[in-house]
Amino acid sequence: MKRRGARVKAVIVGGLAVGLTCGTVAGAAHADVNRRPPRITSIIPDDGALRVTWGPDTFFSGTVPGESTVLYFGANQEGRWDDRGATTSFTVPAAHVRAYAGQAPRVTVCYLWPGHPSECSSSDPIPINGNAPSYPPGAGQLRPVPKPQALRVVAYRDYRATVQWVNGSPPYKKVLFRYDPGVQMELPGNATTATTGTLVPGRTYTFKVEGGWSGGLFSTRYSGWTEITYTVPKNPPFWPGGSVNKPYGPDTCKQGYVWRETTPADHVCVTPATRDQVRTDNALAASRRQGWGPYGADTCKQGYVWREATPADHVCVTPATRDQTRADNALAASRRLP
């Protein structure tokens, strides 16, 4: 999973500067158990003590054997909970706060798994002046982030579902979309749709979406998840429920066939195995070109020929693949829904 810790700009509220170290995700990716950073949601003064709350992040909560949560205040470990992420709040005693008079310790919350790197979230330094945190009571209280609404599946094709939702207000900074097993996408704040990767026909999935706000005490806060379940049709490429026979117009394939997609506009219907071969051949195209010769830069290395799905298709493939491509072109009309 392409997920990296990123320092988020702190915001000063009543003398307290608090920031987060959080994880972001680029594109759809499979998650590992060491990719679930905690999220500190508030740090509130309480008669000289500090009330800290975080999470929960329910992506893996309660599912990873040996999962622990540890909270540090400055250099001292304040608490450790071996409850698979169930604990989400703790009060740092006033005496421990006073011990840092004249200093500026941080609050850090970490998730730990045996055999995997820990994931931590830290506040910015908290000045302790006069034996107490130097910000007024209530400064850490946060307004809830509204959840996305009206989450639904609006399309299904080529074993992939497209979901749509309505964002809360004011605009989100970013949107997170998840579906099991363990796949997450990070999207722009104005995103209202997302498309899954390949799904299994007949299987039921849980789709989740949440929004993140910028501003306030923390640079990014989250709404919590809006979720639905969706059972993938057993007979793709129909729309949900199978009520529409030709959702892709005249290019709709018969059951058992998918678009070949040698280019985005290539809607010749082929078997899924042939479509997979096309993707492999496209990925290997550069390595199979000689780069010089009687056909210029598109001259193939020995043993390869042009695929010729169209007259301009000069991807180098085996002769057997070119023959298959010609056969698929000849059968194209018979594989589309009438």
Side-chain angles (χ1 to χ4, degrees):
M1 183 175 193
K2 296 180 179 178
R3 193 169 188 167
R4 300 289 185 267
R7 189 63 184 170
V8 182
K9 183 178 179 181
V11 179
I12 306 296
V13 178
L16 172 64
V18 179
L20 290 177
T21 300
C22 64
T24 61
V25 176
H30 288 279
D32 300 317
V33 294
N34 63 332
R35 294 294 187 267
R36 185 168 67 92
R39 297 169 176 167
I40 299 176
T41 56
S42 66
I43 301 176
I44 303 173
D46 182 12
D47 195 23
L50 284 174
R51 181 70 174 173
V52 183
T53 60
W54 61 91
D57 184 328
T58 58
F59 200 10
F60 289 106
S61 182
T63 64
V64 181
E67 178 183 348
S68 299
T69 306
V70 179
L71 183 141
Y72 298 89
F73 183 58
N76 297 319
Q77 179 177 307
E78 294 289 336
R80 178 177 180 130
W81 302 272
D82 298 320
D83 56 8
R84 298 193 177 188
T87 298
T88 59
S89 64
F90 179 76
T91 299
V92 180
H96 296 191
V97 175
R98 290 194 299 269
Y100 282 94
Q103 302 180 50
R106 301 173 187 265
V107 171
T108 300
V109 178
C110 297
Y111 290 155
L112 311 177
W113 299 271
H116 294 272
S118 61
E119 289 282 345
C120 300
S121 177
S122 295
S123 73
D124 281 347
I126 302 174
I128 309 298
N129 298 321
N131 296 328
S134 60
Y135 58 97
Q141 295 179 0
L142 305 173
R143 184 160 60 101
V145 180
K147 291 184 177 182
Q149 302 294 321
L151 179 62
R152 62 195 181 102
V153 176
V154 295
Y156 176 74
R157 66 169 290 267
D158 198 16
Y159 303 96
R160 292 172 172 83
T162 298
V163 300
Q164 185 179 75
W165 61 88
V166 176
N167 285 334
S169 181
Y172 295 136
K173 177 181 179 181
K174 61 182 174 181
V175 175
L176 299 181
F177 171 64
R178 288 179 178 174
Y179 65 95
D180 51 359
V183 179
Q184 176 171 294
M185 304 176 192
E186 182 174 307
L187 306 170
N190 61 354
T192 57
T193 62
T195 299
T196 70
T198 302
L199 303 178
V200 178
R203 179 172 179 173
T204 298
Y205 291 82
T206 299
F207 298 148
K208 301 181 180 182
V209 63
E210 72 170 350
W213 268 356
S214 59
L217 180 61
F218 295 96
S219 292
T220 303
R221 296 185 291 111
Y222 295 87
S223 64
W225 298 100
T226 298
E227 64 180 66
I228 59 171
T229 58
Y230 174 68
T231 300
V232 180
K234 292 183 178 180
N235 298 307
F238 300 131
W239 287 68
S243 60
V244 180
N245 290 328
K246 297 181 71 173
Y248 311 109
D251 290 344
T252 301
C253 297
K254 291 181 178 179
Q255 182 176 345
Y257 294 99
V258 296
W259 288 344
R260 182 171 57 190
E261 296 179 335
T262 56
T263 68
D266 179 10
H267 293 175
V268 170
C269 297
V270 299
T271 65
T274 297
R275 194 261 315 274
D276 291 343
Q277 182 64 50
V278 164
R279 292 175 175 173
T280 299
D281 290 331
N282 285 353
L284 295 173
S287 67
R288 293 172 173 177
R289 287 195 298 268
Q290 184 168 283
W292 55 271
Y295 305 105
D298 288 346
T299 300
C300 297
K301 292 180 178 179
Q302 184 174 353
Y304 294 99
V305 295
W306 289 346
R307 181 170 54 196
E308 297 179 336
T310 65
D313 180 14
H314 293 175
V315 170
C316 297
V317 298
T318 64
T321 297
R322 181 185 58 187
D323 292 344
Q324 180 66 53
T325 301
R326 291 173 175 173
D328 290 329
N329 285 350
L331 294 170
S334 67
R335 294 172 174 177
R336 292 193 296 265
L337 286 178

